[in-house]
Amino acid sequence: MTPLEQARGILGEHFRNYVIIVQPEEDPSFFDMVNSDPYTTTGLLIEAQRWHHAQMNAVGDMGFEWVTEEDEDNHEDVWEDDEDAP
């Protein structure tokens, strides 16, 4: 049983509706999603997006920018404070 299947089983026991979105570390352009109900999923995702936008707007422009650091073996994106930027 995969970790995603385990998470789905646990959430299904305790919650009526859920959405799980995961992104494998080895493939950042892919995601997998499972949900309890496709109609409820739409509402959950819309409300989650509204909540997320409100949280990001509350942060405002606090001097953060998205910086991509590239390494020969590892490509990852990190948050970096503007004061520490090169």
Side-chain angles (χ1 to χ4, degrees):
M1 183 176 282
T2 68
L4 184 56
E5 292 169 335
Q6 291 174 345
R8 183 180 198 169
I10 291 168
L11 291 175
E13 290 177 10
H14 300 283
F15 298 96
R16 180 176 179 176
N17 299 304
Y18 59 86
V19 177
I20 308 169
I21 303 171
V22 296
Q23 180 183 45
E25 191 170 335
E26 64 276 0
D27 190 359
S29 62
F30 173 78
F31 73 90
D32 199 0
M33 183 177 95
V34 295
N35 59 69
S36 58
D37 175 86
Y39 299 105
T40 304
T41 297
T42 300
L44 288 171
L45 290 173
I46 289 169
E47 289 305 313
Q49 185 177 19
R50 287 180 184 158
W51 179 87
H52 177 71
H53 284 296
Q55 295 299 311
M56 295 305 291
N57 288 338
V59 170
D61 184 17
M62 295 182 62
F64 290 99
E65 70 177 86
W66 191 253
V67 175
T68 301
E69 293 183 356
E70 293 190 21
D71 189 3
E72 281 184 22
D73 299 328
N74 189 14
H75 300 286
E76 63 181 89
D77 295 325
V78 295
W79 279 103
E80 185 174 290
D81 194 326
D82 278 347
E83 296 174 355
D84 298 330

